[in-house]
Amino acid sequence: MVVNKPSSNGLLEDWKQITVKAGNYHGIKSTKSSYNEDQFSIRCVLDFAEIEIPLEIILNTSGKIIELRETL
């Protein structure tokens, strides 16, 4: 599992690294969300040409992305 603290340059670089390994992006296969008192979590499965990648996006109460977790 890879845990990232997102930055605008970091997200673009992460995406490039993922697509090199996983192939072309096809879409979102599934999503599930949950909320607790201090954060909102969105879990999804991203569908690529070669593999599917689970991704979790963690947001704070202001809606700012504070963490990304993916398994590649």
Side-chain angles (χ1 to χ4, degrees):
M1 174 178 293
V2 176
V3 177
N4 293 313
K5 300 290 184 193
S7 70
S8 56
N9 288 340
L11 288 176
L12 181 58
E13 289 304 313
D14 288 347
W15 188 259
K16 287 178 184 177
Q17 289 177 5
I18 289 169
T19 57
V20 166
K21 295 177 183 177
N24 291 332
Y25 174 68
H26 292 190
I28 298 172
K29 185 171 183 178
S30 64
T31 61
K32 184 177 183 180
S33 62
S34 61
Y35 180 78
N36 69 29
E37 55 202 44
D38 63 341
Q39 66 185 27
F40 185 71
S41 170
I42 302 168
R43 292 180 184 90
C44 54
V45 176
L46 305 178
D47 185 30
F48 289 85
E50 302 297 322
I51 58 175
E52 294 176 350
I53 299 175
L55 174 69
E56 184 175 16
I57 304 165
I58 309 294
L59 301 100
N60 64 15
T61 54
S62 299
K64 179 181 175 186
I65 297 173
I66 55 173
E67 194 173 294
L68 297 172
R69 299 175 184 166
E70 50 93 357
T71 306
L72 181 59

